[in-house]
Amino acid sequence: MATIQIGPGLVLDDVLYGAAEAGTATHVPHLAPLTWETFAASPSWTLVPDGCGNGYKAELTLLGTRKATVKINLWIAPDLRGDQQPAPHSHPWDFDAHVLLGGYSEDRYIPDGDGAVRAEHGVGHSSGGINTVPRDVYHEVTEIHEPGRTLTLMVCGPREHGRWGYLDLATGQHRAAAPDLDFSARLQAINPRHP
């Protein structure tokens, strides 16, 4: 089995590659075939740090334009930005996340516009499924299913800069994402091969 270590806690192997190759061919055939050389190119992967500097997922961007973005995400831990408190976020685009391997659970929050928020806790997504996330849904990944790693193919629509942010659960209001002044340092610390 071919394996390559991309960064701290991130090892790619034939199983992940096979799932990514098949998912790309099925869901974004205009970007296929996905070669091992592209998949295993270390500098192409970005480990995304949490608030403590630990990587919780890695991203490989296959296409990144204003009109469309396609990423392979390898989840190794939940995305709990608010430590022990919920911190649901939105995205600057509508997207479909095709679950290629493993699975995850998320909490979803939908504001009604009058200050109330409808919560859906523990929404599960398993291999072979699709998680459709519109721009007006706020969420956070709360659990990575066994075997402890999940591979998704994120196919995004047009990007709207300045649209994403967090949901204030007390008021049901959107709060624009504030700059995280330490994020770049945390990102560089776990992605030493990046320029």
Side-chain angles (χ1 to χ4, degrees):
M1 173 184 291
T3 62
I4 183 168
Q5 182 159 357
I6 298 298
L10 178 61
V11 177
L12 303 178
D13 59 31
D14 290 341
V15 173
L16 291 170
Y17 170 62
E21 179 187 34
T24 302
T26 300
H27 304 295
V28 285
H30 60 287
L31 298 178
L34 178 65
T35 65
W36 171 258
E37 291 74 24
T38 298
F39 183 73
S42 301
S44 298
W45 283 91
T46 301
L47 276 165
V48 181
D50 61 16
C52 298
N54 302 312
Y56 68 90
K57 76 173 177 177
E59 299 178 341
L60 172 64
T61 301
L62 301 178
L63 176 67
T65 68
R66 188 168 172 81
K67 293 185 178 184
T69 300
V70 177
K71 295 181 182 183
I72 295 173
N73 291 324
L74 176 57
W75 292 85
I76 52 180
D79 176 11
L80 301 174
R81 299 175 191 200
D83 289 329
Q84 302 303 315
Q85 301 299 317
H89 63 277
S90 63
H91 289 266
W93 44 47
D94 297 323
F95 70 87
D96 288 330
H98 301 272
V99 184
L100 306 178
L101 184 71
Y104 63 94
S105 295
E106 67 175 343
D107 290 346
R108 286 180 159 223
Y109 301 86
I110 300 99
D112 72 359
D114 292 324
V117 176
R118 181 169 50 95
E120 300 172 356
H121 296 287
V123 179
H125 305 283
S126 300
S127 185
I130 302 171
N131 180 15
T132 298
V133 181
R135 272 189 211 113
D136 60 350
V137 169
Y138 296 79
H139 75 145
E140 61 183 352
V141 173
T142 57
E143 177 188 6
I144 303 302
H145 299 177
E146 291 299 326
R149 62 183 189 173
T150 292
L151 193 71
T152 62
L153 178 68
M154 190 173 171
V155 181
C156 310
R159 175 185 318 181
E160 289 187 36
H161 287 286
R163 267 297 293 267
W164 84 278
Y166 294 90
L167 181 65
D168 183 325
L169 294 176
T171 65
Q173 297 299 308
H174 176 85
R175 190 179 38 149
D180 180 344
L181 302 177
D182 297 325
F183 182 78
S184 292
R186 293 193 314 272
L187 185 72
Q188 186 64 39
I190 61 174
N191 293 283
R193 297 180 190 164
H194 279 252

